[in-house]
């Protein structure tokens, strides 16, 4: 398996660069959004309405595609050749268009009811939040269709080890949304309604472009579309069977997301949803750049190993994913925790006030504690999916979503912890589910390398805590300029120095996986 390590490292480095481009443009998008709407009711309405098409898509088909497409596509290609794989994809694509087309029409017509799912617990929520969210969603609903087409295209490219283009495609989406917010700021003072329309249309066009930019790569693979639709196709039926546990999982995720949205407004009306959205952008940054890139490459390799009944190969890639996910994410989570205020300070412009900086910074500093467990759970998502044991994964995660929602209700009261209570609920949820999933996984496949993983993880945690504590002591006395520029300078200076120090401590502590990490970092900078 040594020959596979450079392949995974190379794929991960390339994807990390591509994802970094997408995330940087995503940060620019968030920066422009902060300047345009801050944490006002428009920001909360936009966040609610813009997240729902993606949530509905994931609930209806997206999660199913993520879990089942790659293994089944590879099986069909191995069994029936390239033409068989094409028939499978073409039929699936047609079904996706039909199903999501119907859902798009229904979502548009029942927009008030859909938006109500995100606000029903916040009885005192400002009427403007609901009204504006409904207006946005009637235009955003069509995104469902393009998310579906893009999901099939991305999955096919990943199955053929084409990772870079799908990773960089969101950057084009972000650029269009940035332009839309810029036009909104220009127009809002003269015609606020037209400004909202421009923002809504531009945001939707971003999703269309994100999908369309990947089409030429699929054509280059030799894919030929056919209008044939066959709901009795064995591949589609197998996907539906696989999809039963995915539907269960998505019910849990949709439920927790709905309760999180509702209790964010209960905790802080009308800004709660917007505050979480700004913090979530940074929460997802580290996960997206490192964990998602590594996970995609390993998912393909694990699925290929299972397809040819090579369990030693599967265990090899699974164990590498376990350790590397934690070694990469723990330092980033620690640095983001201690640098949360200067990170959010970068948004302190326009409608984003100093009070917003303090509140979002506090939420981020607590929420990132959950980040290593969140990234690890997403890695185990792929592990169980490639093993075709996803029902177990979904039942465990969905079952504990009930505890997560109870904790949201118990901890998010403004009189108790407010929005911080939502963060603590997530920490508890991801920690418990990861621990149980590892116990179950060991029963399925035997040795999973827990001892080695724990040893490396504890060393990584010790190195991160030491550096983070030093930055925490230095930052108040050696803070740089105020405002966005000061925040940016502090993040760059302390972030780069802190990350370098942690990697040096990794070396001193003799973390055995350090060589591949260094190789990944070298490739990352070389490609950049």
């Amino acid at each position: 398996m040594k020959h596979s390590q450079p392949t995974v490292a190379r794929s991960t480095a390339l994807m990390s660069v591509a994802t970094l481009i997408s995330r940087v443009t995503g940060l620019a998008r968030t920066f422009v959004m902060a300047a345009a709407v801050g944490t006002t009711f428009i920001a909360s309405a936009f966040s609610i309405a813009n997240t729902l098409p993606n949530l509905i898509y994931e609930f209806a088909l997206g999660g199913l595609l993520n879990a089942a497409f790659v293994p089944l596509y590879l099986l069909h290609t191995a069994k029936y050749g390239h033409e068989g794989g094409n028939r499978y994809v073409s039929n699936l694509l047609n079904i996706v268009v039909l199903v999501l087309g119907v859902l798009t029409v229904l979502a548009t017509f029942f927009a008030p009811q859909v938006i109500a799912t995100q606000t029903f617990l916040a009885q005192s929520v400002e009427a403007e939040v609901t009204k504006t969210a409904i207006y946005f969603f009637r235009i955003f609903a069509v995104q469902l269709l393009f998310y579906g087409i893009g999901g099939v295209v991305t999955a096919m490219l990943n199955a053929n080890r084409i990772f870079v283009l799908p990773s960089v495609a969101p950057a084009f989406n972000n650029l269009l949304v940035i332009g839309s917010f810029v036009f909104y700021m220009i127009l809002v003072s003269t015609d606020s309604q037209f400004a909202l329309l421009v923002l809504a249309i531009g945001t939707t066009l971003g999703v269309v472009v994100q999908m369309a930019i990947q089409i030429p790569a699929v054509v280059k693979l030799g894919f030929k579309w056919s209008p044939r639709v066959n709901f009795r196709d064995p591949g589609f039926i197998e996907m539906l069977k696989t999809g039963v546990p995915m539907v269960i999982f998505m019910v849990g995720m949709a439920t927790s997301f709905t309760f999180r949205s509702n209790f964010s407004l209960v905790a802080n009306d009308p800004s709660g949803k917007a505050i979480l959205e700004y913090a979530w952008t940074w929460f997802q940054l580290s996960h997206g750049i490192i964990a998602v890139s590594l996970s995609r490459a390993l998912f393909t390799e694990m699925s290929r190993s299972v397809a040819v009944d090579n369990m030693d190969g599967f265990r090899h890639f699974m164990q590498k994913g376990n350790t590397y996910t934690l070694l990469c994410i723990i330092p980033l989570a620690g640095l983001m925790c201690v640098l949360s205020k200067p990170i959010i300070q970068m948004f302190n412009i326009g409608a984003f006030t100093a009070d917003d900086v303090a509140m979002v910074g506090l939420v981020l500093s607590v929420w990132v504690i959950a980040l290593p467990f969140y990234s690890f759970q997403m890695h185990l998502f792929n592990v169980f999916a490639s093993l075709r044991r996803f029902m177990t994964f979904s039942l465990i995660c969905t079952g504990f979503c009930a505890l997560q929602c109870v904790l949201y209700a118990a901890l998010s009261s403004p009189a108790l912890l407010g929005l911080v209570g939502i963060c603590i609920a997530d920490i508890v949820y991801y920690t418990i589910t990861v621990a149980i999933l590892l116990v179950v996984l060991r029963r399925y496949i035997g040795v999973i390398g827990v001892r080695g993983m724990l040893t490396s993880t504890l060393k990584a945690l010790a190195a991160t805590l030491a550096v983070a504590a030093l930055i925490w002591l230095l930052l108040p006395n050696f803070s740089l300029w105020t405002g966005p520029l000061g925040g940016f300078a502090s993040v760059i200076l302390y972030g780069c120095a802190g990350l370098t120090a942690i990697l040096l401590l990794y070396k001193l502590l003799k973390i055995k996986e350090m060589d591949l990490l260094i190789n990944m970092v070298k490739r990352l900078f070389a490609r950049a």
Side-chain angles (χ1 to χ4, degrees), residues 98-148:
L98 286 174
V99 172
L100 293 182
V102 172
L103 282 178
T104 296
V105 174
L106 291 175
T108 303
F109 186 78
F110 292 105
Q113 288 75 20
V114 176
I115 294 299
T117 64
Q118 307 303 301
T119 60
F120 69 92
L121 287 175
Q123 298 296 331
S124 62
V125 67
E126 286 192 4
E128 287 296 328
V129 173
T130 303
K131 178 182 175 182
T132 308
I134 292 171
Y135 176 80
F136 276 137
F137 186 69
R138 289 195 190 278
I139 299 172
F140 290 164
V142 74
Q143 294 176 14
L144 271 168
L145 184 59
F146 295 102
Y147 275 131

Side-chain angles (χ1 to χ4, degrees), residues 225-467:
W225 175 76
S226 168
R228 173 177 169 270
V229 177
N230 182 9
F231 285 96
R232 296 183 179 181
D233 178 77
F236 178 66
I237 293 174
E238 181 66 22
M239 178 168 278
L240 289 180
K241 291 178 181 178
T242 307
V244 172
M246 179 53 68
V247 169
I248 294 173
F249 175 70
M250 290 312 302
V251 165
M253 294 301 99
T255 301
S256 64
F257 178 85
T258 295
F259 275 81
R260 182 189 298 163
S261 293
N262 275 276
F263 282 110
S264 70
L265 293 172
V266 170
N268 197 325
D269 176 28
S271 302
K273 178 61 178 175
I275 290 170
L276 287 187
E277 190 72 16
Y278 289 120
W280 183 253
T281 298
W282 284 96
F283 185 96
Q284 280 287 317
L285 180 66
S286 300
H287 173 73
I289 292 174
I290 301 297
V292 170
S293 301
L294 179 64
S295 185
R296 282 180 186 170
L298 288 170
F299 181 40
T300 299
E301 301 305 330
M302 287 188 295
S303 298
R304 287 183 183 275
S305 297
V306 173
V308 297
D309 199 27
N310 178 12
M311 293 308 296
D312 287 337
F314 169 83
R315 274 187 287 268
H316 167 81
F317 289 114
M318 180 271 300
Q319 290 172 5
K320 295 301 179 187
N322 292 349
T323 304
Y324 294 141
T325 296
L326 292 172
L327 289 182
C328 291
I329 295 298
I330 287 174
L332 296 176
L335 292 175
M336 287 174 64
C337 179
V338 76
L339 292 172
S340 59
K341 184 176 179 180
I343 285 173
I344 304 304
Q345 188 179 323
M346 290 191 288
F347 294 158
N348 187 200
I349 190 171
F352 202 89
T353 67
D355 290 339
D356 295 334
V357 171
M359 191 64 225
V360 179
L362 174 62
V363 169
L364 178 62
S365 67
V366 179
W367 216 355
V368 292
I369 298 173
L371 181 57
F373 301 102
Y374 171 80
S375 294
F376 201 92
Q377 190 199 70
M378 293 299 99
H379 167 64
L380 291 177
F381 175 106
N382 289 331
V383 169
F384 279 84
S386 57
L387 278 174
R388 294 180 217 156
R389 298 270 192 172
F390 198 76
M391 177 62 84
T392 302
F393 179 91
S394 64
L395 288 175
I396 291 171
C397 292
T398 302
F400 280 98
C401 280
L403 171 63
Q404 187 182 23
C405 293
V406 169
L407 289 174
Y408 285 158
L411 301 177
S412 66
S413 167
L416 192 57
L417 294 174
L419 291 174
V420 171
I422 291 176
C423 305
I424 293 174
D426 283 352
I427 294 170
V428 173
Y429 167 74
Y430 289 117
T431 303
I432 291 176
T433 53
V434 164
I436 294 175
L437 287 168
L438 284 174
V439 171
V440 173
L441 183 62
R442 186 176 182 181
R443 293 183 61 186
Y444 283 154
I445 65 172
V447 178
I448 59 175
V450 171
R451 181 176 298 178
M453 179 185 69
L454 283 177
T455 300
S456 297
T457 299
L458 289 174
K459 290 179 179 180
L461 186 60
T464 300
L465 289 175
V467 173

